[in-house]
Amino acid sequence: MTPTHSPDPAAISFWHQDANLGRTPGSELPGDTNVDVAIIGAGYTGLWTAYYLSKADPTLRIGILEREFVGFGASGRNGGWCSAIFPASLKKVESSSSRLDAIQMQRAMFSTVREIGAVVAAEAIDCDFEQAGYISTARNAAQWARAQREVQVWRDWGFAADDMQLLTREEASRRVAASDLFGATYTPHCAVLHPAKLAGGLARVVRDLGVKIYEDTAVLEIGDRCLTTSRGSVRADVIVRATEGYTADLPGAKRDLVPMYSLMVATAPLSDEQWNEIGLHRRETFSDKRHLRIYGQRTADGRLAFGGRGAPYHFGSRIKPKYDKDEGVHAKLRSILTEIFPAIDGVEFTHAWGGNLGIPRDWYPSVGYDRRTGLAHAGGYVGDGVATAHLAGRTLAAEIGDRDDSVRALPWAGRQSRKWEPEPFRWLGVNAGTVAFSIADQTEAASGKPSRLASSFWSLLGH
């Protein structure tokens, strides 16, 4: 894991262009160093872990080792959804724990969205945070049937309309005027934000708390309470792996998390007339019920930022800067967004970018700390990491500090997903899933009937 000397941050994504992020001069590891806690990765997981550790014990010597710069990866490039979506379904969590544990996990996610808002306000982090909820539209009969089933599942688990509700076509259109609208689901447990500004703001806060962030410092090997880096060794009582989509680059971790790519586009700022046609007046996040996931937001400066899956997984868990852009996928995203909102037909798309995220074999994130070895980890957020990483950081801090905190009893604490299959089976399986979702979406759009193909794939994963 040697430093890649990435291009100017402004070239990485729309978010980085606006946030003025980059390496802090002189922030590299100065040489061999001793700390109490060493954290690998200056994304959300690492920053939130450092934040809560420092708040609980200001005397701790904490060092964050970052190969590039703060917010370089998924934490700075994502769709800006601070959502209560937990990647593993309630049924999945229950199957390996209990019904009560599954409910507590979901309620912890609800609370996490509010907690992030509170911290952002208390620490004066300017990241365009706005909690207006998430609307997921149904745009064909199959999606509408899925929306109704989804809300019924929430009711079966004891969650009320305050947590998730079904909207009629008329109710949904008052929030977002998507084309071919049948109805939607809506949850208030989601905020919109500027992801790179959140990463940069958190870095400022933890530095003020005394945390050292060493950028342009690649971790080459994890040893016995010691890290070998490109700029010296770091000895630490506790080592936290917070590398998410870049985990596959660590020695021996090639099969721990699959690095999948999610790409995004952004329009030029829209006119007031266009926004009057589109809606999203409170900056709700939006998507529809297709299987191959899409996600969007209205940015604080009046653009549509929109992304989705569909880029291929690359053989051997390879991660390269050139994979951040795929003209075919970006063109498809522009087409989908224009199809959803015909009012933007002819609008200039000013930005296209992407990045990799981490997917565990069972789609179930985990948090763990082995007091005997001093090794800790968190990750596997499957693209829903903005809020999940916060809860992970808070949990890791409580575990490391051995503090009395209810988050330590959550069912993802102490678990570990099994490794992905060796190649070529990993490549075949992951890309087959992407193809299956795409075919299912095309079939449903044409027939209006739910596809069994996508459900069969989820069944293989235990969902």
Side-chain angles (χ1 to χ4, degrees):
M1 292 182 71
T2 56
T4 59
H5 299 291
S6 59
D8 176 45
I12 293 175
S13 78
F14 162 69
W15 308 120
H16 288 85
Q17 186 176 53
D18 193 37
N20 296 315
L21 288 181
R23 290 179 176 81
T24 302
S27 64
E28 304 89 353
L29 184 75
D32 294 350
T33 303
N34 294 324
V35 296
D36 297 312
V37 181
I39 299 170
I40 311 171
Y44 294 151
T45 302
L47 293 168
W48 282 120
T49 302
Y51 176 80
Y52 282 102
L53 280 170
S54 296
K55 285 289 191 178
D57 185 354
T59 68
L60 282 176
R61 297 171 301 163
I62 302 170
I64 302 178
L65 293 304
E66 169 56 48
R67 179 172 63 176
E68 298 289 351
F69 56 85
V70 168
F72 170 81
S75 293
R77 308 185 195 192
N78 63 77
W81 286 33
C82 181
S83 81
I85 297 172
F86 190 69
S89 66
L90 289 160
K91 180 181 177 182
K92 177 77 174 181
V93 177
E94 180 191 34
S95 68
S96 59
S97 188
S98 70
R99 183 179 179 85
L100 180 59
D101 280 345
I103 293 170
Q104 289 178 331
M105 187 75 236
Q106 186 57 67
R107 293 213 175 277
M109 290 298 300
F110 292 160
S111 299
T112 294
V113 176
R114 296 191 296 271
E115 173 68 13
I116 292 173
V119 174
V120 163
E123 302 291 358
I125 297 174
D126 177 17
C127 64
D128 305 330
F129 185 96
E130 189 74 40
Q131 186 170 345
Y134 158 43
I135 184 166
S136 178
T137 60
R139 300 180 52 247
N140 59 50
Q143 291 185 9
W144 178 235
R146 193 151 53 248
Q148 293 173 82
R149 288 198 303 273
E150 180 182 341
V151 172
Q152 185 56 55
V153 168
W154 282 96
R155 296 292 179 273
D156 293 344
W157 280 86
F159 295 98
D162 288 347
D163 297 316
M164 176 67 72
Q165 60 182 288
L166 189 70
L167 303 181
T168 65
R169 178 188 288 108
E170 292 73 22
E171 290 169 333
S173 65
R174 285 196 286 271
R175 290 186 178 273
V176 58
S179 62
D180 304 316
L181 194 59
F182 279 63
T185 59
Y186 173 78
T187 174
H189 301 296
C190 186
V192 66
L193 52 76
H194 187 303
K197 284 183 176 180
L198 175 59
L202 277 173
R204 170 188 60 79
V205 171
V206 299
R207 282 183 173 123
D208 289 346
L209 290 171
V211 174
K212 302 295 184 182
I213 301 178
Y214 302 112
E215 298 174 300
D216 199 20
T217 303
V219 172
L220 307 176
E221 185 177 356
I222 302 175
D224 181 13
R225 301 185 191 272
C226 181
L227 297 175
T228 302
T229 83
S230 58
R231 298 183 180 278
S233 64
V234 178
R235 299 206 61 84
D237 296 327
V238 177
I239 294 173
V240 179
R241 190 191 76 187
T243 46
E244 191 58 0
Y246 292 91
T247 300
D249 277 349
L250 290 170
K254 189 72 72 176
R255 293 164 53 198
D256 288 9
L257 295 174
V258 157
M260 280 290 289
Y261 280 77
S262 192
L263 307 187
M264 293 195 69
V265 295
T267 68
L270 305 183
S271 67
D272 290 342
E273 291 77 11
Q274 287 167 321
W275 281 120
N276 286 336
E277 288 191 52
I278 292 168
L280 303 176
H281 300 301
R282 298 175 57 211
R283 297 185 61 215
E284 298 93 335
T285 60
F286 68 92
S287 71
D288 67 17
K289 295 293 184 186
R290 71 185 65 206
H291 298 285
L292 201 58
R293 191 171 177 191
I294 58 172
Y295 49 91
Q297 68 147 288
R298 175 177 180 166
T299 66
D301 66 344
R303 303 169 187 262
L304 279 169
F306 182 73
R309 311 283 169 83
Y313 159 74
H314 300 280
F315 192 90
S317 295
R318 289 195 300 267
I319 302 169
K320 295 183 178 181
K322 67 179 182 180
Y323 299 153
D324 295 345
K325 293 190 177 182
D326 183 313
E327 182 48 42
V329 177
H330 280 129
K332 182 65 174 177
L333 289 172
R334 290 189 283 267
S335 175
I336 292 172
L337 187 59
T338 304
E339 173 196 325
I340 295 173
F341 300 123
I344 69 167
D345 189 22
V347 167
E348 179 187 7
F349 282 82
T350 56
H351 298 79
W353 72 96
N356 54 305
L357 49 91
I359 300 181
R361 178 60 179 80
D362 56 3
W363 255 254
Y364 193 156
S366 60
V367 178
Y369 174 51
D370 185 336
R371 199 168 300 278
R372 179 182 59 82
T373 63
L375 294 175
H377 79 276
Y381 307 132
V382 198
D384 289 310
V386 178
T388 316
H390 168 277
L391 184 57
R394 181 182 157 198
T395 304
L396 282 177
E399 290 280 2
I400 293 167
D402 197 20
R403 292 186 291 106
D404 184 17
D405 192 320
S406 61
V407 296
R408 297 178 66 183
L410 293 173
W412 70 337
R415 71 177 304 279
Q416 182 70 55
S417 300
R418 69 182 179 90
K419 290 182 178 292
W420 282 89
E421 289 76 6
E423 298 291 19
F425 303 106
R426 187 160 75 250
W427 181 86
L428 289 169
V430 175
N431 285 321
T434 300
V435 171
F437 289 158
S438 180
I439 293 174
D441 287 330
Q442 294 172 28
T443 301
E444 291 185 351
S447 69
K449 297 179 181 179
S451 170
R452 294 181 180 180
L453 187 59
S455 58
S456 297
F457 180 77
W458 283 121
S459 295
L460 291 173
L461 294 172
H463 282 240

